[in-house]
Amino acid sequence: MLRPRSTATREKVNLDGVWRFALDGAAGPEPWSGPLATRLEAAVPASYNDLFTDPAIRDHVGRVWYQRTVRVPRGWTNERVLLRVDAATHEGRVYVDGALVAEHVGGYTPFEADVTDHVRAGEEFRLTIGVNNELTNVTIPPGTITVSRSGRREQQYKHDFYNYAGLSRSVWLHCVPAVHVTDVTITTGLDGTTGTVGYAVETNAPAPVRVRALDADGAEVAAAHGTDGVLRIDGATPWRPGAAYLYDLVVEVLDEDGDEDGDGVLDVYREPFGVRTVEVRGTEFLINGEPFYFTGFGKHEDTPVRGKGHDDAYLVHDFQLLEWIGANSFRTSHYPYAEEVLEFADRHGIVVVDETAAVGLNLAVQGGLTGRPHDPTWAPETFGDATRDAHARHLRELIARDKNHPSVVMWCLANEASTAEEGAREYFEPLVGLTRGLDPSRPITFTAWLGATGGNDLVADLFDVVTVNRYYGWYIANGDLETAERYLEDDLRAWIEKFGKPVMMGEYGADTLPGLHSVWDVPWTEEYQRDYFEMNHRVFDRFDAFVGEHVWNFADFATSNGIHRVDGNKKGVFTRDRRPKSAAHALRARWRDLNGRR
Ligand code: BDP
């Protein structure tokens, strides 16, 4: 789905700000039918949970309502008017005055509605958006709603991060001309020093199309007519990790005479792209034909007060910290991040493993922790065909949204699903096929949980890169790094020997309380986190097939309550307010050295 942009033929109005807000039930049976009866106001973009002091709002399970009035710019008389919601977590319902114009399930991908027939240029309308945070066995991510003995509806889920909800990203009103571009797909290659730029343009009605590639200075370097083809850029500057270079593809829809009079451009869209290749060969991960070793983190969209609300200040600061520490990459654990994040990564040469929101498709974890038999993960009453259909829809939306970002070098289809359990292959094989069909240009991976090993995993051969999440020295052999080292080495060796593919660490980490110190191996101390990483790195460096290390986590983050968590997950190398723990300095020394050498 194209991002709204201002061009010579398109305009956009950002609808962020403070909106009226109410819990479902508190605002009448049809909250969209008039002004929302409420005293509350909520910031957009932001998760609503931490904005208010009332626990009934923070812990609400169900729908909430946002409302504001919007004036359509008076110049938009002959335009199509679209309303775009970048994210409504996890389900959104949009009303223009009394009319339902859009419904969408999935909290981390955008959706839009053509509202032309419901609005008038120069006039105001009432915009009401209902957002539901419920997770079930057929949503991605999944969850279960239970009712406690005291009668409270509670949301259970199989991931630790807090189930923040609301309008966590921007909302836009934008306009496009009657005949317009609806999609652009760009796939690049390198032929010696020539960049090849495959393009495919879709329009809402048949019309002549012209494409032009501009370099970073705005000079035209290639052009063609037609809805698809390949442009060649001689002496192209590739997009490289740490050295981003972006071109623009200017796509023009022309009138019937093909703009021969110089006055026939019906629509213009502009899509940035980078010329680069990605390939897995043997046990190597290659970007532009050169071996790439991932250094960086699994992150979260998580900040105080805003929750998962996108924030440009944190965006800039987090990327500064990535650069400071020598990280060249991160994984969008455990859901697609705001498009602003990927655009920033494109501009700054940070490599991204783009992950779906499929986290928690695993009932074996509970069994593993309690020793009790667990329900089968892959069954119609738990995660069956309907779950997989939701997963497939989500994958389609993710790839449609992110396919043109040069920073995105790999899709991660799921985090820690139960891939060693009967039914896993039947679940994943069609999703792998779907992903490869939608995007043959990028490698794919998944992250393997502790219970899936080189010996028992049922799906790894379907993927290009094996990403393992391992907590030896934390959940296993806690406080005993010597034993942990042996477990880890055996574990990694088994994956490497069995599959002959590149292996990387998707998560390794230790909860750490800043300010806690010890001369011994005491978990939770700053020294222990540092030594834990050092042990991991010793092991990684023993394997040639090892292609990267993503520490868990970049920063401390909010979780739901639980006996394993004290005010959230503290495995951050930075605190939640982005101060470095001691391990940050050790990582910095290693990663700067590694990146200097590679
Ligand atoms: C892993 C999960 C991650 C958790 C982490 C932890 O992938 O989301 O936060 O464990 O327990 O299993 O810290």
Side-chain angles (χ1 to χ4, degrees), residues 236-505:
T237 308
W239 186 96
R240 289 201 173 91
Y245 187 94
L246 294 179
Y247 293 88
D248 268 324
L249 190 72
V250 178
V251 179
E252 291 164 319
V253 181
L254 308 176
D255 65 6
E256 257 149 38
D257 74 6
D259 191 33
E260 264 164 31
D261 49 7
D263 185 23
V265 177
L266 303 179
D267 187 25
V268 188
Y269 191 77
R270 221 179 150 110
E271 182 78 337
F273 68 94
V275 176
R276 60 113 186 85
T277 62
V278 185
E279 189 193 342
V280 168
R281 198 185 302 149
T283 56
E284 287 184 318
F285 193 96
L286 306 173
I287 299 182
N288 302 332
E290 290 167 18
F292 180 72
Y293 188 88
F294 295 80
T295 58
F297 300 95
K299 280 185 100 261
H300 263 302
E301 290 189 313
D302 176 272
T303 58
V305 186
R306 276 182 189 270
K308 296 211 172 303
H310 175 72
D311 183 293
D312 281 340
Y314 274 98
L315 169 73
V316 171
H317 192 55
D318 282 5
F319 274 79
Q320 280 286 298
L321 293 178
L322 290 174
E323 194 183 315
W324 174 85
I325 206 167
N328 60 19
S329 55
F330 65 89
R331 174 170 61 116
T332 69
S333 42
H334 295 307
Y335 37 82
Y337 291 0
E339 287 157 276
E340 289 85 344
V341 178
L342 297 179
E343 289 177 341
F344 203 91
D346 289 344
R347 293 198 298 275
H348 293 271
I350 293 285
V351 166
V352 177
V353 177
D354 204 352
E355 182 163 282
T356 68
V359 51
L361 294 168
N362 192 333
L363 302 180
V365 180
Q366 220 67 24
L369 290 177
T370 60
R372 283 191 229 115
H374 60 89
D375 286 337
T377 301
W378 312 110
E381 55 285 358
T382 51
F383 305 127
D385 290 354
T387 316
R388 193 180 51 206
D389 289 348
H391 198 153
R393 258 194 322 276
H394 174 60
L395 262 165
R396 279 195 197 92
E397 290 186 15
L398 171 66
I399 294 172
R401 191 194 77 160
D402 291 349
K403 62 189 171 186
N404 293 334
H405 289 287
S407 58
V408 174
V409 298
M410 180 153 67
W411 306 111
C412 181
L413 269 57
N415 182 66
E416 297 199 351
S418 189
T419 53
E421 203 183 321
E422 199 187 321
R425 198 170 178 91
E426 290 72 11
Y427 182 90
F428 275 101
E429 212 164 6
L431 296 177
V432 166
L434 173 73
T435 312
R436 294 209 187 277
L438 292 169
D439 181 8
S441 78
R442 286 182 179 86
I444 59 172
T445 193
F446 70 106
T447 70
W449 78 292
L450 208 59
T453 64
N456 66 12
D457 183 84
L458 299 171
V459 305
D461 62 299
L462 301 170
F463 292 81
D464 302 301
V465 173
V466 175
T467 305
V468 293
N469 295 355
R470 290 297 181 263
Y471 288 91
Y472 295 117
W474 190 254
Y475 292 121
I476 291 177
N478 185 274
D480 179 359
L481 293 176
E482 247 176 78
T483 303
E485 182 163 351
R486 290 178 192 212
Y487 281 138
L488 178 63
E489 181 165 349
D490 291 350
D491 192 321
L492 295 181
R493 178 170 299 110
W495 288 101
I496 289 168
E497 287 180 355
K498 169 99 175 267
F499 294 104
K501 294 180 188 267
V503 173
M504 70 179 281
M505 203 70 156

Side-chain angles (χ1 to χ4, degrees), residues 27 47 64 76 127 136 141 182 191 209 217 221 305 307 328 397 423 433 463 466 476 519:
S47 304
V64 298
W76 291 12
L127 173 60
T136 69
T182 53
D191 180 3
V209 165
D217 297 322
V221 288
V305 186
N328 60 19
E397 290 186 15
F463 292 81
V466 175
I476 291 177
V519 291

Side-chain angles (χ1 to χ4, degrees), residues 50 58 157 159-164 300 302 308 475 511 552 555-571 576:
D50 292 354
R58 187 165 203 265
Y157 38 91
H159 52 79
D160 72 338
F161 61 91
Y162 190 82
N163 186 34
Y164 281 117
H300 263 302
D302 176 272
K308 296 211 172 303
Y475 292 121
D511 284 276
W552 191 254
D556 294 344
F557 59 90
T559 61
S560 50
N561 295 336
I563 50 173
H564 292 284
R565 300 288 180 249
V566 185
D567 187 35
N569 188 312
K570 299 289 186 205
K571 293 192 187 71
R576 202 179 187 209

